[in-house]
Amino acid sequence: MRDAFLGRESHDLDLTTSAMPDETERILAAWGDATWDMGREFGTIGARRGATVVEVTTYRADAYDGQTRKPVVAFGENLDDDLVRRDFTVNAMALRLPDLQFVDPHGGLEDLAGRRLRTPGAAEVSFGDDPLRMMRAARFAAQLGFDVAPEVRTAMTEMATSLGIVSAERIRDEFSKLMLAADPVTGLRLLVDTGLADVMLPELSVMRETVDEHRRHKDVYEHSLTVLRQAIALEGPHDGPPESVPGPDLVLRLAAILHDIGKPATRRFEPDGGVTFHHHEVVGAKMAAKRLRALRYDKETVKAVSRLVELHLRFHGYGSGEWTDSAVRRYVTDAGPLLTRLHRLTRADCTTRNRRKAETLRRTYDSLEARIETLMDAEELKKVRPELDGNEIGEILGISPGPVLGRAYKHLLSVRLDQGPIGKDAAREELLAWWAKRPESAAD
């Protein structure tokens, strides 16, 4: 109902009924092209017919044990009992079929019009039943631009620690939905202000207490929120080519909000009153990986986000274009498939209010991207490899696959990055020279 009133098209229909799951399954089997019952334990049977997906759930009147967020499932007998257990009033509206009677016992339509999030019953009772609903409030604020009612915000603040009983996987899913929303900054602010972030992403709250070295922002936290917004603005259209970084892009957004996560741990006060954050990108990469693993993100996401955090400062060594072609090759190779995201993260990280400085940084990065394109065209940098493969290296040195061959391969890759294409003969000479100088050669 909520999406219908908001004019949001959806092919997924949620229905509730007095029928038991077995009866629902028989009806849907006759209607749909396919059915599934993975939610049978909770009274839900799903079906698909063409592009339309329907999930039908038996009226519920759940209870919670207060130790976990899993409900003790109890089927209800009427629609009103079912609606009162919903998370927010805007989700507690229904259209009774077949007579199309609108059912709104908790003022959901009025709240929808007022863009307000309230709970059908007392907020503390609702969140006590299911603490994940507090994160859903932040997610809906980000997705729909709704304000959270004062009593709901108060309950979120007072009960924030109860989020600790929710599984990391469920928190991750809600957090991802928030980060992919139209305005994740609104949701993030709510998480921090209510203390929920202290439970699931404490590093975000800590950043609020760390003044950045340029004193241009209230704190590193505000800077990071600005970077996130600017990174989102640099995403391509959702149906754009991969090189445009089609939005919403979870990896880019996570990297943007976490790129300075290492600053609090590396903050040092200088005698002249300045503040430094040396190597915060390296420390931050490790911290980001640890936090994302704790939230049960997949290995590829953890690896990509932490790598972007590690590389986000690399550009600032470019100066006014002093990098050699070798340095440019290494920048591209180290970024690998993350290069287009790194371009956007680096540009988004410029939050200076000095227009002249901002324009200089923009032109300098334009120059770097142009050099990258030139080298890519000339050398196919995305496919850069040593000019001798593993088999050729093994044959020249008379060694079998193993750690030694791996070190030889890395040496030739380094030569390729430093010198560009040199041909197989020159690569063979480089390999033999390296082999002769190896300190461990005497032991081989």
Side-chain angles (χ1 to χ4, degrees), residues 374-385:
T374 299
L375 282 173
M376 280 186 169
D377 290 342
E379 302 180 16
E380 295 186 322
L381 284 186
K382 288 183 179 179
K383 301 177 183 177
V384 66
R385 298 287 187 277

Side-chain angles (χ1 to χ4, degrees), residues 7-30:
R8 301 171 69 186
E9 184 177 357
S10 175
H11 294 291
D12 298 344
L13 303 177
D14 293 322
L15 305 177
T16 186
T17 177
S18 59
M20 291 293 107
D22 288 345
E23 185 178 358
T24 298
E25 187 173 35
R26 287 195 299 271
I27 295 171
L28 290 179

Side-chain angles (χ1 to χ4, degrees), residues 218-252:
K218 182 178 179 180
D219 46 44
V220 176
Y221 167 72
E222 290 294 338
H223 165 74
S224 298
L225 295 179
T226 300
V227 172
L228 173 58
R229 278 201 167 119
Q230 294 186 167
I232 291 172
L234 293 173
E235 291 175 336
H238 70 90
D239 56 352
E243 59 269 20
S244 73
V245 188
D249 187 272
L250 182 62
V251 167
L252 176 62

